[in-house]
Structure formats: C-alpha cells, structure tokens
Amino acid sequence: MKRVVLITGHYWNSKRKAGFHWLADALWRQGWEVVFLTAALSWLSVIRRDYRLAYPVLQEANQLQQVQIKMWSYVWFTPWHPANLRWDFLNYLSRRWFRLYGKLPLGPVESMISQADLFIFESTPALLLFETFKRLNPSAQFIYRVSDDLRLLRNHPVILDTEEQVASQFDLVSVPSQHIHRLFAGLPNLELHLHGIRKELFLWDYPTPYQPPEYPNIVFVGNSHFDRNFLEQASQLFPNWQFHIIGPIPHLPQRKNITAYGELPFEVTIPYLKYADIALHTLSYSPGVESFTDSLKVIQYTYCKLPIIAPTYLSSSRTHVFYYEPGDANSIYNALIEAQTYDRSQIQTDEIYSWDELVCRWLQITSKNST
C-alpha cells in the first residue's frame, strides 16, 4: 500500500473544503494511505485569532488522528511559525529565527514521513519543511501544488526565498492558473493543471434552496477579498434581485435582498450553485489577485454553467464572464444585465477535470520522471 503526505494550511475537518481536501479524498479512493498534515499553526496563530482555532486544532495538536481507515489527520502545532510581522525591520530581524521552522520537531508523524512514497506540498510556510522531508525520505516523489501566489497572501520574505530555492527540486510543479504559470516560467517539470471538482456531487438531485424564482438569484461563495462596494451598488441597482453570500464575510451591507449564510459545509453550498442564475467572482484588488482568474470557485461556477461577474483585473478568455470597473455603477449594471441575458447553453464544461483525473495525471508525470 502506498502512502502520501499532503502538507497544507487547511484542517481536515473544516467545513470549508479546499482543493487539498479533494486531492486527499481522490488519493484515498484510489487506494493510497493518506496523511493530511496541517501546518503553519502556532501560538502566533492564537494571538492572531486564526479562523482554524474554531476547530479542535489545539486538542488534536501533534497527535495522529485516524479519521477513517487509511486516512490520518495531523495538526503540526509549533511554538511559532513564519508569519509576516507587517514591518520590514521586524521581518528582517526575524529571518534567521523563522528559517529554523523546518527544523522543529515533527512529533509522531515523523515515522510516517520517513516511509511515505509521495509528498504533495501546498504553497504555505510549510515549504520550509522541504529539505527536512528530503533528508528523511530522499527516494520519495515530491509535488508542489501552487494553489496560491505567496505574494498575494503577504507571506514572510523567508517563505518567498524558500520557494525560490526549492521549487526547481520538485519532481512536478503544478499550477492552477495562467498567471501563476508565468511566475514559474522556465522551471523544469512545470505543468498547468486547472482545479478539479467532485463531479458526482454536482450530479445529485438536490432540492432548490431558493424561493420560486420570480427574480434572479445571484450567489457568491468564498472567504476573502470580497468587494463589498460591488454588493452595495448592485443590491441598490437591482432591489428585487436576490444576492446570496456564502462564507465568513463580515460587515456586509444590510439590505432586504442580501442574505448572508456564513460558512456552510461544502455539500450544502452545491444546491445554491446549481440553482443560481448568476455567480459572483467579485474580489477587491490586492497585488497578485490576478492569479484567481482560474480559481476553484470559477471552475465550480463554470461546471454549473453560471454566467460570472468579475472585476476587469480578473479578465480571462472565458466568454461567460462579464466585467465591471470597481466602483462604477454603470459598468456594474451593464455586467449584470449581460449576464442575465447570456445563453448558458454556450458554456463548455468538457475540459474540466475531476479530482481523480487530476491525480491520475500527476501520478503519470511523476512515474515517468522517476524512470
């Protein structure tokens, strides 16, 4: 039986399901023993009120948790981890200290690491573990799945330095967007792989969560960078249209046609996508936000054949995305009207991967590279 260790910032039992949850699930269903290692959690996370602390990560810290047969969760909780200290001077002073993160004791998961066949790293501070894992298990295959642009996430400079140093040593560097692909251009074993989805979950027959559709239902699913100004203007321009916001988004406008659901289990969100009329990819600008043109959310919206509203700085070749200039009421109005009248039958879904298909592609590549 082969073993894979996924090194991520996500917690296995979180309500929000990210790509690494689905990768773990796909590998498990293909017969792998899976270790889901949650990193970048420390007492600094407590000070910063990290959202993951809403889950029992402190109770499970540094203990192997068997969540089902051949599936393990491990929360690697450390005294500290590399975090952006906001001031350049403090970041400079902390470099040497933060470089030691990858040398901190791993605890009971170390024996599983030394006997693993495959490591899949996400773009997180846990990249500092690469050299330690390589020393513990030099014969394993290493994949770097660059889920996010580390610059956008404002990581500590030592993490950016580490990414630059180790990226070329991976057997495969897999990126989910054209923007991130350009950032890594020239690397050996670089591949563009858009996010996958659990297609069978979307095929189930769910009841609609909406009232009889007299007016369009517009949905947003996400957890950060939300453009609140867009929602303020759009909800006033179309007072009868219903806006449904799913995710832990604080300080939303208070209007009768806006419904905030908070964070929901992933399976619960699917009917909101399947029965919506328009989807929102309305993100506020931060340097590097361009990498979200092909986010998992966009892939899910597309699979449900939803017209998508996005700001102009998220432009792509997708013909079912309609753009607005942030803050401009006229362009917001036009984008929503164009989305409402768009022929959804034109949206193509043939080239969307399932997570199983994506995993098979990775295994083919790493197997070929190892021969």
Side-chain angles (χ1 to χ4, degrees):
M1 178 175 60
K2 290 191 173 184
R3 175 184 295 156
V4 58
V5 180
L6 296 99
I7 306 96
T8 175
H10 298 289
Y11 171 63
W12 173 251
N13 280 321
S14 64
K15 293 179 182 177
R16 186 186 315 158
K17 298 302 181 187
F20 262 58
H21 290 96
W22 301 120
L23 288 171
D25 177 71
L27 285 156
W28 179 80
R29 286 186 289 107
Q30 292 187 27
W32 289 68
E33 181 182 31
V34 175
V35 180
F36 196 88
L37 194 159
T38 303
L41 266 172
S42 72
W43 293 115
L44 285 177
S45 308
V46 176
I47 295 171
R48 294 183 167 207
R49 299 181 180 179
D50 191 297
Y51 77 92
R52 292 171 293 180
L53 295 171
Y55 301 106
V57 292
L58 294 179
Q59 297 92 312
E60 297 178 13
N62 304 318
Q63 303 173 50
L64 277 167
Q65 304 285 324
Q66 185 168 10
V67 295
Q68 54 189 321
I69 296 173
K70 298 190 300 181
M71 174 74 79
W72 303 84
S73 170
Y74 188 76
V75 176
W76 189 45
F77 190 90
T78 53
W80 43 265
H81 72 275
N84 193 321
L85 302 178
R86 305 300 184 229
W87 292 350
D88 291 344
F89 182 63
L90 289 179
N91 282 336
Y92 173 78
L93 289 179
S94 60
R95 273 179 177 269
R96 182 175 297 180
W97 183 34
F98 281 166
R99 281 191 185 279
L100 298 174
Y101 177 65
K103 300 184 183 301
L104 293 173
L106 292 165
V109 78
E110 183 170 334
S111 61
M112 302 188 83
I113 289 168
S114 63
Q115 299 174 44
D117 300 279
L118 174 65
F119 296 105
I120 304 177
F121 279 77
E122 192 170 19
S123 40
T124 71
L127 279 172
L128 275 80
L129 286 167
F130 175 83
E131 292 183 351
T132 297
F133 283 23
K134 198 75 171 176
R135 174 179 54 80
L136 288 171
N137 193 340
S139 62
Q141 295 289 303
F142 285 76
I143 294 175
Y144 182 25
R145 176 60 168 176
V146 193
S147 298
D148 299 292
D149 180 356
L150 289 172
R151 293 150 195 82
L152 172 64
L153 301 180
R154 300 182 66 190
N155 277 269
H156 189 280
V158 75
I159 304 167
L160 304 180
D161 293 345
T162 300
E163 180 185 65
E164 185 175 355
Q165 292 162 11
V166 305
S168 62
Q169 301 177 51
F170 281 88
D171 299 286
L172 169 64
V173 176
S174 172
V175 300
S177 74
Q178 290 282 357
H179 173 79
I180 297 180
H181 191 272
R182 288 191 291 271
L183 295 178
F184 288 86
L187 276 185
N189 304 323
L190 174 65
E191 297 268 350
L192 173 63
H193 301 130
L194 299 182
H195 292 293
I197 65 169
R198 279 286 301 276
K199 293 181 180 180
E200 69 275 17
L201 294 182
F202 285 85
L203 295 175
W204 290 353
D205 186 18
Y206 301 91
T208 179
Y210 301 125
Q211 297 298 319
E214 184 178 356
Y215 296 101
N217 287 296
I218 297 89
V219 67
F220 172 89
V221 178
N223 57 38
S224 62
H225 303 287
F226 184 68
D227 183 354
R228 294 176 180 81
N229 179 263
F230 170 90
L231 183 61
E232 180 70 47
Q233 297 207 46
S235 60
Q236 293 184 59
L237 289 167
F238 298 93
N240 293 320
W241 292 23
Q242 300 301 307
F243 295 83
H244 305 268
I245 312 301
I246 299 173
I249 310 294
H251 313 303
L252 290 173
Q254 301 295 308
R255 300 183 65 83
K256 290 183 178 179
N257 61 337
I258 298 173
T259 305
Y261 298 85
E263 191 171 47
L264 299 177
F266 174 74
E267 290 83 355
V268 177
T269 70
I270 294 177
Y272 289 93
L273 300 184
K274 288 193 64 171
Y275 294 102
D277 299 291
I278 298 171
L280 301 181
H281 192 38
T282 47
L283 306 184
S284 58
Y285 188 78
S286 297
V289 74
E290 297 88 350
S291 64
F292 289 143
T293 53
D294 300 297
S295 68
L296 177 55
K297 176 166 54 184
V298 169
I299 304 302
Q300 293 169 348
Y301 290 164
T302 301
Y303 194 70
C304 291
K305 294 196 170 188
L306 292 175
I308 299 172
I309 305 295
T312 51
Y313 43 78
L314 290 179
S315 61
S316 72
S317 60
R318 301 178 189 278
T319 59
H320 60 290
V321 182
F322 301 90
Y323 302 100
Y324 69 95
E325 289 286 347
D328 182 76
N330 189 55
S331 69
I332 290 172
Y333 178 89
N334 289 335
L336 284 164
I337 291 297
E338 290 174 1
Q340 183 197 23
T341 57
Y342 183 74
D343 180 3
R344 294 170 60 171
S345 68
Q346 298 182 45
I347 301 175
Q348 300 298 312
T349 62
D350 296 345
E351 296 183 0
I352 294 179
Y353 283 116
S354 70
W355 289 110
D356 297 273
E357 292 165 340
L358 181 58
V359 162
C360 287
R361 174 63 181 152
W362 288 1
L363 297 178
Q364 288 171 359
I365 293 171
T366 54
S367 175
K368 181 178 178 181
N369 291 344
S370 65
T371 59

